[in-house]
Amino acid sequence: MSGSALVSVHDVTPGDLPRILRILDLLEEAGVPPPTLLVVPGRDWTAETLAVLRALVAKGHRLAGHGWAHRCDAPRTLFHQLHGLLISRDQAEHLSKPREELLALVRRCFDWFGATGLPAPELYVPPAWALGALTRDDLSTLPFRWYEVLGGLIHGGTGRMRWLPLVGFEADTRFRQASLKVLNGLNAGLARLTARPVRISLHPPDLDCLLKRDLETLVREPWRFVGEEEAFR
């Protein structure tokens, strides 16, 4: 047994639905239960693309909030610039906004699901896992139950965080390929060593990137797949 795993598919937008569906087909063929889908509300959702989300919910997928536009404004700090260069490029939406604006953004994200007739999500994942100016105390005033950041899962009500290892496959350069290969091996090993679930985080380009074979191999391992509740224990 490889241990336990928490699987999510990021950046669910109308334009990326075809690539998302390819990933879901691979996971289903590999015997992975329906993963959580991280939805970006502030894109051009139509009745047709919302119907795709509803069909995926009917198949057992849970939805999560994932920012609003999943794009950031111009970097405001040196940290943001370095974060963009090394990790997030122009995706870390929270890092470019002040606290009050972020509080409104997270609430707006949550409200969108109800307004479109979709199930209310329990999980919020800021783009690039970066909360920005929000603190753990702020999270207790917001409507989601769970928040996922780079280091792991945070319980919104208590502010307590549980560290969970993370693997990803969005490698479109040789540098990212080499870096992620090392980090993925380290984190998968730590998951087994510490008996903590590993977060397997997938992105729309992954099946066209340089770590496709690693992804296909990893998801076919005999993981015990869990949700946030069990992963936090």
Side-chain angles (χ1 to χ4, degrees), residues 46-47 49-59 63 115-119:
T46 64
T49 52
L50 287 171
V52 174
L53 285 187
R54 293 189 185 97
L56 291 171
V57 170
K59 289 185 68 173
L63 305 182
T116 52
L118 292 165

Side-chain angles (χ1 to χ4, degrees), residues 13-89:
T13 66
D16 272 323
L17 281 177
R19 295 197 290 181
I20 298 291
L21 294 175
R22 280 180 62 205
I23 291 173
L24 298 183
D25 286 343
L26 168 68
L27 295 178
E28 185 175 9
E29 184 271 330
V32 179
T36 300
L37 305 177
L38 276 54
V39 180
V40 183
R43 297 294 182 91
D44 295 325
W45 291 96
T46 64
E48 181 181 16
T49 52
L50 287 171
V52 174
L53 285 187
R54 293 189 185 97
L56 291 171
V57 170
K59 289 185 68 173
H61 294 277
R62 292 175 301 153
L63 305 182
H66 195 40
W68 180 256
H70 207 291
R71 301 188 193 95
C72 63
D73 301 329
R76 299 189 308 142
T77 64
L78 177 60
F79 171 77
H80 190 178
Q81 294 178 54
L82 292 173
H83 193 282
L85 180 66
L86 298 174
I87 300 175
S88 60
R89 296 183 176 167

Side-chain angles (χ1 to χ4, degrees), residues 9 20 52 77 102 115 119 125 130 150 159 179 182 189 191 217 225:
V9 179
I20 298 291
V52 174
T77 64
L102 290 175
V125 185
L150 195 60
S179 301
V182 171
T217 299
F225 296 100

Side-chain angles (χ1 to χ4, degrees), residues 17-219:
L17 281 177
R19 295 197 290 181
I20 298 291
L21 294 175
R22 280 180 62 205
I23 291 173
L24 298 183
D25 286 343
L26 168 68
L27 295 178
E28 185 175 9
E29 184 271 330
V32 179
T36 300
L37 305 177
L38 276 54
V39 180
V40 183
R43 297 294 182 91
D44 295 325
W45 291 96
T46 64
E48 181 181 16
T49 52
L50 287 171
V52 174
L53 285 187
R54 293 189 185 97
L56 291 171
V57 170
K59 289 185 68 173
H61 294 277
R62 292 175 301 153
L63 305 182
H66 195 40
W68 180 256
H70 207 291
R71 301 188 193 95
C72 63
D73 301 329
R76 299 189 308 142
T77 64
L78 177 60
F79 171 77
H80 190 178
Q81 294 178 54
L82 292 173
H83 193 282
L85 180 66
L86 298 174
I87 300 175
S88 60
R89 296 183 176 167
D90 64 346
Q91 306 300 307
E93 184 175 16
H94 278 226
L95 293 184
S96 63
K97 300 182 185 301
R99 174 178 171 273
E100 290 300 323
E101 196 170 329
L102 290 175
L103 291 169
L105 183 153
V106 175
R107 293 189 182 103
R108 185 183 182 192
C109 175
F110 181 86
D111 291 343
W112 177 86
F113 290 85
T116 52
L118 292 165
E122 290 197 325
L123 172 68
Y124 182 81
V125 185
W129 295 283
L131 275 176
L134 293 179
T135 67
R136 295 193 199 180
D137 287 340
D138 289 328
L139 301 184
S140 67
T141 71
L142 295 170
F144 292 91
R145 183 181 183 195
W146 304 105
Y147 296 83
E148 183 182 343
V149 295
L150 195 60
L153 275 178
I154 300 173
H155 185 280
T158 65
R160 188 168 70 88
M161 187 178 95
R162 188 181 196 215
W163 173 80
L164 296 173
L166 173 69
V167 300
F169 303 90
E170 201 175 12
D172 57 353
T173 67
R174 293 296 177 186
F175 173 76
R176 285 187 173 228
Q177 179 188 26
S179 301
L180 283 174
K181 219 170 176 42
V182 171
L183 289 171
N184 287 351
L186 176 64
N187 280 306
L190 284 171
R192 297 181 180 99
L193 184 65
T194 62
R196 296 196 179 202
V198 63
R199 290 174 289 155
I200 300 176
S201 299
L202 307 177
H203 292 79
D206 284 355
L207 295 184
D208 302 306
C209 284
L210 298 169
L211 290 175
K212 175 186 176 183
R213 292 189 183 278
D214 289 32
L215 186 164
E216 292 173 337
T217 299
L218 187 72
V219 298

